[in-house]
Amino acid sequence: MLEVNGIYKNFGDLQVLKGVHLNVEKGEVVSIIGVSGSGKSTLLRCMNLLEEPTFGEVWMEGRLMTPVDPYLHEDVIRASNTFKKLVADGMNDTDAIHKIKDEDLLKEKRKGAEGAEYAALMQKIYDENHIDINLGRQKMGMVFQNFNLFNNKTVKENITLAPVKIGKQRLKAAKKRGEKTVKTPADIEAEANARAMQLLERIGLQDKADVYPSTLSGGQRQRVAIIRALAMDPDVMLFDEPTSALDPEMVGEVLDLIKDLVRSGMTSVIVTHEMGFAKEVSDRVIFMHDGVIAEEGTPDQVFNHTKNPRCKEFLSKVLY
Amino acid sequence: MTLGSFLTNIINIMAKYWQVFLLRGIGYTLLLSIIAVAGGAFFGSIFALLKRSRIVVFKAIISAIVSVVRGTPMLLQLYIGVFVFPMIIPKLASLPYIYSVTIVLIINSSAYVSEIIRSGIEAVDPGQMEAARSLGLTQHTAMLSIVLPQAIKNILPALGNEFIMVVKETSLASTFFVGELMTSYLLVKGNTYLTMECLFIVGVLYFALTFILSKGLAAWERRMKAHA
Amino acid sequence: MKKILALALAAVMVFAFAACGSSKDSGTADNPAAAYDKYAKEFKTDGKSGTLTVALSPDFAPMEFYDIAKQGDDAIVGFDVLLAKYLAQELDMTLALKPMSFDACQAAVQTGNVDIAISGFSWTVERAENYELSDWYVAGDNETQQSIICLKENAGKFTKPEDFKGYKIGYQGASLQQVLVGETFGDMPDVDTSYVFVDLGTAVEALKAKQVDFLAVAHGNGESIMANDSNIDFTGFDFEVDDIYKNNVCLLQKGNTELLEKVNAALAKALSNDYYSGWYDASKVYAGVSTLDELGFDDEGNKITE
């Protein structure tokens, strides 16, 4: 459902991600663990393109959110002038493809320099699969370590802002296309308000609807941030260390809400330091080290039977 | 020079020239400052937007303007405005210098205001933008509904300070006798040769202007904070 | 807060309106502007052969200064303004005065922003190199008589160069006085001539504060200073002035010989008809240096001719 493919991420000279493949299935709960700096948060942020991957592709529900990465498509490589030249010079196909991939022979050239066939194929793949980045993000809810509630909006406005803005945008677009629209902008607002109140009730904060986030506790803020993401009815939730910035006594209430969500079948990717929690809720645990996935498997496999020395070392430190 | 004669001179000067200081001087100083800051706010916003845009040419031009304006004395900018602008825009040549001077003041203020706006926007936690984008809002919507409203709270007080700075900066426009307070000083001093007395008068008036403005701004800031 | 703002705004508006309609109250019997106005009115300054833009620094009474009772270009008055009006008439051009600081006057000519600068410029070698300089015009005793002023208590005691030994003499930078002080006292190490001032007003303050003992000034400027400060007087010492310095010149852009020739022709005519002394006397009365009576004008501003 959510697939990242061959993701590299460089910050200047620093390589943070070095080729990560990950496919999250519908309904699956994936926890990502690892030491700070191992690239786990960056990987999560690449999934909804808050960080633009340097190379690689992100696919959401079969639609491409990033530009096409030629190295991930053998037919594209075969269409390139570089490949044709290597083969003409006597190299066999497989070696030529490897050489192009290993030596990054396509990246340095401008689009047109690899020939019309190459450019047309790139364009074709893009046109057939591409989805607008904002549409893609609307299917993914993101929860941040620092909550990032909108300081200039009330709790309720925080929740309704995106549904209302995007609902109205869709309405406008539909009208432009000449479609008949049943809903009015007022309907959209009313619906968003009702949904916000319903969500607030679910977390017991309905009486905080009209206050500003600065008056809430950390735990309350994070719970509001979670339902803000839910208000967009996402297909997958991305949690970026959701409890790291919380006082210990507030961790529980946030984890309980996430557990609740996960049990109701929400597809989730959770970057976390809470090992007990990861063990309890995950279908799959991923251990990242130095920009790559070093170990992955069921919680039992990773926490109890890992062979990876890095993973062992990490777990021995965090699990006492 | 005794204190007595100093004060008598001031009274005599004010009796004869009060209009020059209070009407013309303060009037033009406020007028120039208001136009400069209003124009600066308008073009400064555009500068700031262009500088944040992805178009490299705009970015480079704006950066160059801002660097030159901030890196050279105001007096020099005024000379260039008065003597070089008319070579580029012939229409200016037939207009009084106050037009060129005003253009320079606006450009100068725009450069500073664009930096005020830029730093105001940058002072907003980047997490706010990320949260908005993660919900699928466009850059445009996120900027307008989330980042700018918060940035304005940083920008407005700094804009007030810029206004006070401009009130003082306009004094350099007296090189071209445009009529603001420092021109009043030059005129009356030129007629009376009583330099210290005239300086004292414009000093008091500049202080009164900026003091009232800063008190007003402080009260307004408090109000704004109370409503936030 | 709103009330204060509203009040302030109202005050500004009142001031602005008052400024727009500020009155002309120069019609009293003892009207120092009378003689000047009579001259000024006679000139036809809306000629057909283009515009004559003139730079001048109107903080130098009686050569050029401001009359607050008048509006627009009329508010700039003085000897050089009369000369500018005369030139516009002779060249059949429309006059536009451009007031600016003394330094800016030179920049304005150099860049071609104005046609000519008429602002009490003395002839110097450097100016002659960088500008077209007109023939000289007489600016009364403002140039021919160059004096040293002092606080009243020293008046009359200093009459020859040797008397200034052990004292400090100040002067305005880039002025004729700087040249004269250099010529007269340059080889007298006992006389401290290191005090250079950006303008005359600042120099007078330094004299009053006793930071300098003497100031070298043009005689006419000295009279203007004394008209406002009874504590200052002439020492009694006058410089020996070379003929070349005695008069003022107009500055034109280097290479603008066409206009230069026309200006010189007009100046020659003014000199032969002896216009200058009348203009200068009227300007002095206007600046409050002399009274109508002293210089032989009647109350209507007509020059009394014997």
Side-chain angles (χ1 to χ4, degrees):
Chain A
M1 175 169 154
L2 175 58
E3 189 183 348
V4 298
N5 217 344
I7 295 287
Y8 288 79
K9 178 65 189 178
N10 303 342
F11 291 108
D13 289 336
L14 184 69
Q15 274 203 320
V16 179
L17 295 178
K18 302 169 183 171
V20 177
H21 296 270
L22 177 62
N23 190 3
V24 182
E25 298 296 338
K26 188 166 168 49
E28 193 183 14
V29 177
V30 178
S31 292
I32 305 176
I33 59 173
V35 295
S36 342
S38 58
K40 52 192 195 308
S41 277
T42 306
L43 175 61
L44 194 77
R45 290 162 61 81
C46 279
M47 288 179 180
N48 71 350
L49 300 188
L50 282 184
E51 301 293 354
E52 232 172 287
T54 313
F55 305 133
E57 292 175 354
V58 176
W59 292 74
M60 177 65 189
E61 295 176 341
R63 306 304 299 274
L64 179 63
M65 289 179 68
T66 52
V68 180
D69 183 343
Y71 297 115
L72 297 173
H73 305 270
E74 205 165 285
D75 48 343
V76 173
I77 299 179
R78 284 173 187 280
S80 71
N81 284 349
T82 309
F83 175 83
K84 288 171 188 168
K85 190 168 179 299
L86 288 174
V87 173
D89 289 351
M91 195 178 273
N92 74 43
D93 283 18
T94 324
D95 288 350
I97 288 172
H98 277 160
K99 185 178 165 65
I100 288 172
K101 278 188 180 177
D102 292 347
E103 295 174 22
D104 194 8
L105 295 176
L106 297 179
K107 284 292 172 197
E108 292 303 317
K109 303 202 173 165
R110 284 166 211 269
K111 257 189 181 170
E114 290 296 343
E117 195 192 338
Y118 172 88
L121 197 51
M122 289 279 281
Q123 193 63 44
K124 183 167 169 268
I125 296 173
Y126 184 81
D127 289 344
E128 282 174 359
N129 299 294
H130 179 70
I131 184 176
D132 178 73
I133 190 173
N134 292 315
L135 285 177
R137 280 173 175 159
Q138 286 162 25
K139 298 171 190 286
M140 296 188 234
M142 175 97 171
V143 175
F144 299 86
Q145 183 177 345
N146 294 314
F147 332 130
N148 290 345
L149 289 180
F150 305 135
N151 298 323
N152 59 326
K153 302 281 179 192
T154 63
V155 166
K156 195 165 87 179
E157 286 167 350
N158 261 277
I159 302 165
T160 58
L161 179 87
V164 168
K165 291 273 182 206
I166 289 163
K168 286 182 179 172
Q169 276 168 20
R170 284 179 187 156
L171 199 64
K172 233 179 171 176
K175 271 190 184 154
K176 233 180 193 170
R177 287 196 302 270
E179 289 169 20
K180 269 195 184 158
T181 49
V182 196
K183 282 185 191 173
T184 65
D187 292 339
I188 288 171
E189 275 174 40
E191 271 174 31
N193 278 329
R195 175 95 170 104
M197 289 315 293
Q198 189 195 336
L199 285 164
L200 279 168
E201 260 169 57
R202 176 169 169 187
I203 59 170
L205 290 177
Q206 59 272 34
D207 55 327
K208 300 284 189 187
D210 295 319
V211 305
Y212 283 90
S214 56
T215 61
L216 299 182
S217 74
Q220 289 173 329
R221 285 188 215 185
Q222 193 60 301
R223 287 188 289 143
V224 171
I226 291 170
I227 62 166
R228 174 177 70 177
L230 288 178
M232 287 300 295
D233 288 323
D235 296 336
V236 56
M237 286 288 285
L238 310 175
F239 295 91
D240 186 5
E241 304 190 26
T243 56
S244 296
L246 292 175
D247 291 338
E249 73 269 23
M250 292 172 182
V251 170
E253 60 186 81
V254 171
L255 290 184
D256 284 347
L257 178 59
I258 300 174
K259 267 184 220 169
D260 208 30
L261 268 175
V262 164
R263 284 192 187 123
S264 69
M266 175 63 77
T267 313
S268 301
V269 182
I270 308 168
V271 171
T272 185
H273 289 296
E274 299 283 339
M275 293 306 146
F277 175 74
K279 213 170 181 173
E280 187 187 340
V281 302
S282 308
D283 298 315
R284 184 154 46 129
V285 175
I286 284 172
F287 171 73
M288 285 200 66
H289 183 79
D290 201 18
V292 294
I293 294 176
E295 175 71 298
E296 72 174 301
T298 63
D300 182 51
Q301 284 169 342
V302 173
F303 285 106
N304 303 328
H305 303 102
T306 181
K307 298 277 189 300
N308 184 299
R310 299 288 182 198
C311 189
K312 267 186 185 164
E313 189 193 344
F314 171 73
L315 289 172
S316 72
K317 276 182 187 159
V318 293
L319 293 175
Y320 326 110
Chain B
M1 182 170 64
T2 65
L3 185 63
S5 71
F6 186 72
L7 294 177
T8 324
N9 284 342
I10 285 177
I11 290 164
N12 289 338
I13 290 171
M14 281 312 276
K16 192 167 174 197
Y17 297 106
W18 65 274
Q19 286 187 331
V20 180
F21 289 113
L22 298 182
L23 303 187
R24 265 235 300 257
I26 291 183
Y28 272 102
T29 290
L30 282 179
L31 186 73
L32 281 177
S33 308
I34 289 167
I35 292 176
V37 173
F42 180 75
F43 290 106
S45 310
I46 295 177
F47 280 18
L49 283 179
L50 289 180
K51 211 176 171 184
R52 292 179 64 86
S53 79
R54 294 189 178 181
I55 304 163
V56 183
V57 185
F58 285 150
K59 274 177 140 168
I61 293 173
I62 300 301
S63 297
I65 293 177
V66 171
S67 305
V68 169
V69 166
R70 300 213 303 179
T72 56
M74 180 75 170
L75 187 60
L76 182 137
Q77 293 166 23
L78 284 168
Y79 265 87
I80 288 172
V82 166
F83 295 134
V84 180
F85 283 6
M87 296 179 186
I88 304 161
I89 314 163
K91 183 107 189 48
L92 269 179
S94 55
L95 294 171
Y97 286 145
I98 194 164
Y99 287 86
S100 300
V101 165
T102 307
I103 291 173
V104 170
L105 287 173
I106 289 175
I107 293 174
N108 182 282
S109 183
S110 301
Y112 283 97
V113 170
S114 78
E115 284 298 286
I116 289 171
I117 292 175
R118 188 188 56 79
S119 63
I121 289 173
E122 278 172 11
V124 175
D125 177 6
Q128 297 283 313
M129 178 54 108
E130 286 185 351
R133 296 307 306 274
S134 78
L135 289 164
L137 294 172
T138 60
Q139 170 88 19
H140 185 71
T141 311
M143 198 68 186
L144 283 182
S145 341
I146 303 299
V147 178
L148 278 185
Q150 296 184 49
I152 280 182
K153 279 179 195 155
N154 311 325
I155 291 169
L156 284 181
L159 211 55
N161 287 337
E162 166 69 8
F163 186 58
I164 290 171
M165 287 300 296
V166 167
V167 164
K168 289 185 287 177
E169 294 254 287
T170 53
S171 64
L172 288 167
S174 65
T175 305
F176 300 100
F177 285 77
V178 294
E180 36 58 67
L181 256 181
M182 209 62 183
T183 307
S184 308
Y185 155 76
L186 287 176
L187 297 184
V188 177
K189 176 210 74 170
N191 282 13
T192 62
Y193 289 96
L194 294 171
T195 306
M196 282 318 285
E197 287 83 346
C198 294
L199 270 182
F200 182 81
I201 290 169
V202 293
V204 167
L205 290 177
Y206 271 117
F207 178 78
L209 269 183
T210 53
F211 185 78
I212 292 168
L213 284 171
S214 59
K215 284 290 161 198
L217 283 167
W220 178 62
E221 254 176 69
R222 274 198 301 280
R223 249 171 66 115
M224 223 174 59
K225 283 221 176 88
H227 284 254
Chain C
M1 192 55 226
K2 262 187 188 153
K3 274 184 194 164
I4 299 177
L5 266 177
L7 215 65
L9 213 65
V12 170
M13 302 252 288
V14 169
F15 277 145
F17 277 117
C20 290
S22 82
S23 58
K24 290 186 180 182
D25 53 0
S26 49
T28 52
D30 183 20
N31 177 6
Y36 176 90
D37 286 345
K38 208 158 189 84
Y39 282 118
K41 256 181 266 164
E42 279 169 13
F43 297 116
K44 184 180 164 300
T45 57
D46 54 351
K48 301 285 182 292
S49 327
T51 308
L52 182 72
T53 46
V54 178
L56 74 181
S57 175
D59 54 356
F60 198 63
M63 299 306 286
E64 41 268 319
F65 57 104
Y66 255 86
D67 180 354
I68 55 159
K70 292 181 177 172
Q71 299 290 319
D73 271 6
D74 286 343
I76 308 166
V77 297
F79 177 89
D80 284 334
V81 178
L82 289 178
L83 178 60
K85 285 174 185 282
Y86 165 76
L87 287 178
Q89 173 183 276
E90 291 301 304
L91 274 56
D92 189 31
M93 293 173 90
T94 302
L95 181 64
L97 297 177
K98 297 270 189 178
M100 64 189 82
S101 75
F102 196 67
D103 282 341
C105 284
Q106 307 194 43
V109 172
Q110 206 177 8
T111 56
N113 192 276
V114 299
D115 300 317
I116 187 167
I118 309 176
S119 197
F121 285 100
S122 301
W123 189 96
T124 67
V125 181
E126 295 80 7
R127 278 192 189 127
E129 278 170 7
N130 297 313
Y131 301 89
E132 299 293 344
L133 298 183
S134 74
D135 292 341
W136 55 265
Y137 61 88
V138 179
D141 56 6
N142 202 51
E143 294 299 329
T144 54
Q145 196 176 0
Q146 298 289 334
S147 312
I148 289 185
I149 58 171
C150 59
L151 295 177
K152 198 140 214 161
E153 63 227 44
N154 293 326
K157 294 182 208 158
F158 298 81
T159 49
K160 46 189 195 298
E162 294 73 38
D163 294 342
F164 293 92
K165 278 186 180 167
Y167 291 97
K168 300 168 192 160
I169 304 178
Y171 47 85
Q172 187 181 353
S175 69
L176 172 59
Q177 292 77 43
Q178 182 167 23
V179 177
L180 293 174
V181 167
E183 282 181 356
T184 315
F185 302 107
D187 46 7
M188 292 170 64
D190 295 343
V191 182
D192 186 350
T193 58
S194 59
Y195 289 82
V196 190
F197 297 94
V198 286
D199 63 25
L200 208 44
T202 316
V204 172
E205 288 309 321
L207 178 66
K208 288 198 266 188
K210 300 192 178 174
Q211 288 162 357
V212 293
D213 303 301
F214 301 99
L215 286 183
V217 296
H219 197 84
N221 293 129
E223 287 177 330
S224 283
I225 292 163
M226 277 156 226
N228 286 287
D229 199 318
S230 54
N231 254 334
I232 295 176
D233 207 343
F234 288 108
T235 50
F237 176 84
D238 283 352
F239 288 97
E240 290 201 15
V241 187
D242 265 3
D243 278 348
I244 197 166
Y245 295 137
K246 273 185 182 162
N247 306 295
N248 282 338
V249 293
C250 309
L251 263 60
L252 286 81
Q253 196 178 24
K254 197 81 189 165
N256 191 0
T257 47
E258 192 192 332
L259 183 62
L260 181 70
E261 279 167 22
K262 291 182 191 166
V263 168
N264 281 342
L267 289 176
K269 184 178 159 193
L271 186 66
S272 64
N273 291 336
D274 191 22
Y275 292 147
Y276 295 139
S277 61
W279 298 348
Y280 185 68
D281 288 345
S283 301
K284 267 171 94 169
V285 175
Y286 203 168
V289 177
S290 310
T291 61
L292 286 169
D293 217 23
E294 276 173 18
L295 293 170
F297 289 100
D298 66 20
D299 280 350
E300 262 73 60
N302 296 311
K303 186 99 181 166
I304 301 161
T305 45
E306 288 96 77

